[in-house]
């Protein structure tokens, strides 16, 4: 295996530089010496996602409009980790804001990167158990969410049918299935 170049980025400039999105143009030297000019990286803030499991094994999802696909989608509660906030705190906050549930038990199940070929985006994934319903605190006025409860197997069937396509949700549902089977997936 070839060593990584000491300084893979030969030149770097920001095309877009906002708190929510950075588009970076780099000239990069890859292992083996190949140089690629104008290699673009998209950078997004790190986020936390939570798979809320009800006592009967059902999963609590959120239905909301997402402008990327220009439609309402089903996904797990998730959101950006705030400055000074720990991933587990963000997971708890997002669960409360988007569903109105508090979790007495939050279990970290993994960290993953979305499409690291050109995207810098990390997700901390959690299970939430022993849920307690509370009034939802919708702090983000731009979000309009409704909750949807499904048996886990039905939610996973929606993945197979292409009805759930959000990768964080897909990974979370599959991890939940393995977790409940007693296997550690992530």
């Amino acid at each position: 295996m070839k060593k990584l170049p000491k300084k893979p980025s030969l030149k770097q400039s920001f095309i877009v530089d906002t708190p929510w999105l950075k588009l970076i143009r780099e000239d990069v030297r890859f292992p083996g010496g190949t140089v690629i000019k104008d290699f673009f990286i998209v950078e997004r803030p790190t986020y936390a996602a939570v798979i809320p499991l009800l006592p009967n094994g059902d999963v609590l999802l959120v239905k909301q409009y997402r402008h990327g696909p220009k439609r309402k989608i089903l996904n797990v509660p998730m959101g950006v980790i705030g400055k000074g906030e720990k991933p587990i705190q963000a997971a708890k906050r997002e669960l409360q804001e988007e569903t109105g549930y508090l979790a007495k038990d939050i279990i970290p199940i993994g960290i993953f990167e979305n499409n690291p070929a050109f995207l810098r985006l990390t997700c901390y994934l959690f299970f939430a158990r022993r849920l307690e319903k509370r009034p939802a605190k919708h702090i983000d006025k731009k979000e309009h969410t409704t909750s949807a409860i499904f048996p886990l197997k039905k939610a996973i069937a929606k993945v197979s049918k292409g009805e759930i396509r959000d990768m964080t949700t897909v990974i979370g549902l599959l991890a939940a299935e393995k977790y409940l089977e007693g296997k550690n997936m992530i």
Side-chain angles (χ1 to χ4, degrees), residues 74-128:
L74 282 170
N75 59 264
V76 296
M78 65 180 93
V80 171
I81 299 169
K83 189 173 183 172
E85 190 175 41
K86 293 185 176 174
I88 196 165
Q89 293 168 321
K92 289 178 180 181
R93 176 180 48 76
E94 289 295 333
L95 176 64
Q96 167 90 47
E97 286 176 8
E98 294 185 7
T99 69
Y101 280 86
L102 291 176
K104 292 184 178 182
D105 194 11
I106 294 253
I107 303 163
I109 56 170
I111 303 168
F112 66 92
E113 295 173 336
N114 288 280
N115 200 349
F118 68 91
L119 182 60
R120 290 183 187 143
L121 178 59
T122 301
C123 176
Y124 287 81
L125 193 57
F126 298 87
F127 285 135

Side-chain angles (χ1 to χ4, degrees), residues 2 15 20 22 26 29 40 47 64 76 86-87 90 105 109-110 122 138 146 149 153 156 168 178 186:
K2 294 189 179 197
I15 309 301
W20 296 104
K22 295 182 185 339
E26 296 182 335
R29 183 182 319 276
F40 290 89
Y47 68 105
Q64 62 185 318
V76 296
K86 293 185 176 174
D105 194 11
I109 56 170
T122 301
H138 289 285
T146 56
I149 297 172
K153 294 224 179 280
I156 290 171
T168 302
K178 295 299 180 194
I186 297 179

